[in-house]
Amino acid sequence: MAKLYFYYSSMNAGKSTTLLQADFNYRERGMRTMLWTAALDNRYGEGSITSRIGLKADAHLFDPETDLFEAVMADVATHGALACVLVDEAQFLTKAQVFGLARLADESNIPVLAYGLRTDFQAELFPGSAALLGLADALIEIKAVCHCGRKSTMNLRVDAHGKAVKQGAQTEVGGNDRYDALCRKHFMEALGG
């Protein structure tokens, strides 16, 4: 029986690297995979999953309107069986998309590995992450490290001067220039709380 997995962490934990390694493992054994990433994250070019250590792979793009279940099943009908579906930036999935991914595992026996942030810069769950935390068969935390050496669990948004940003839209794509992965203690201190 296939499962829906949610690999989550703060930023800079190696989620994309881990996804690309899992994809490589399947493909090295001659198995076909399908990669997806959020259309709104085009920092490294459209249709690409890129890790900060230099690994890269082409991926299909999803936006809130994408029916992932139907798109994957159409691909299977055209190209044959899939060994695995891998989703990067899973925090940007909608609740309906997460239900579609669960259907892939349950009805089509295709394992789904979703990788994403658990919370935003205000310590709020992303909609996709909330749905995955509720529906996934397996929850796997990928560890990142705060500057103090503790496990980082929070994503601090910073401005151009490195100062904490306390308000704004939930989604603002960025990397180390806009976010700092911190432990809860240093996150709270940075926010003045």
Side-chain angles (χ1 to χ4, degrees):
M1 179 69 140
K3 292 184 179 181
L4 171 60
Y5 299 85
F6 182 35
Y7 294 84
Y8 66 91
S9 70
S10 64
M11 295 190 69
N12 301 327
K15 294 177 297 297
S16 297
T17 302
T18 304
L19 179 154
L20 292 168
Q21 180 65 52
D23 177 59
F24 176 81
N25 290 343
Y26 277 100
R27 289 185 299 102
E28 184 179 42
R29 288 161 182 80
M31 299 177 187
R32 200 167 76 80
T33 62
M34 189 173 197
L35 278 62
W36 289 88
T37 191
L40 66 87
D41 185 359
N42 59 8
R43 288 176 288 166
Y44 304 107
E46 288 191 6
S48 173
I49 296 174
T50 304
S51 72
R52 289 176 294 113
I53 65 169
L55 301 175
K56 183 176 183 174
D58 292 336
H60 299 270
L61 297 174
F62 70 84
D63 62 31
E65 307 306 315
T66 305
D67 185 328
L68 291 170
F69 180 82
E70 291 299 327
V72 171
M73 295 315 297
D75 180 83
V76 168
T78 303
H79 302 291
L82 282 169
C84 186
V85 171
L86 299 103
V87 182
D88 201 24
E89 304 296 346
Q91 70 271 12
F92 298 132
L93 293 166
T94 65
K95 184 176 182 180
Q97 288 169 328
V98 173
F99 272 83
L101 295 175
R103 281 185 67 200
L104 286 172
D106 296 342
E107 297 174 19
S108 302
N109 204 32
I110 301 171
V112 177
L113 284 62
Y115 297 77
L117 299 173
R118 184 180 59 167
T119 58
D120 67 13
F121 75 107
Q122 295 177 316
E124 297 289 335
L125 291 172
F126 283 96
S129 302
L132 284 161
L133 287 167
L135 284 177
D137 297 296
L139 303 172
I140 302 101
E141 184 177 26
I142 299 173
K143 305 288 191 291
V145 180
C146 180
H147 61 78
C148 70
R150 288 189 198 157
K151 178 176 76 170
S152 73
T153 57
M154 312 303 291
N155 302 301
L156 180 72
R157 185 181 291 170
V158 296
D159 63 18
H161 306 289
K163 301 294 182 194
V165 174
K166 298 179 183 180
Q167 296 181 354
Q170 183 177 47
T171 300
E172 184 175 316
V173 175
N176 292 345
D177 59 326
R178 297 291 295 143
Y179 293 94
D180 192 8
L182 299 174
C183 66
R184 185 180 57 236
K185 176 184 180 209
H186 286 111
F187 175 81
M188 299 297 279
E189 287 175 1
L191 292 178

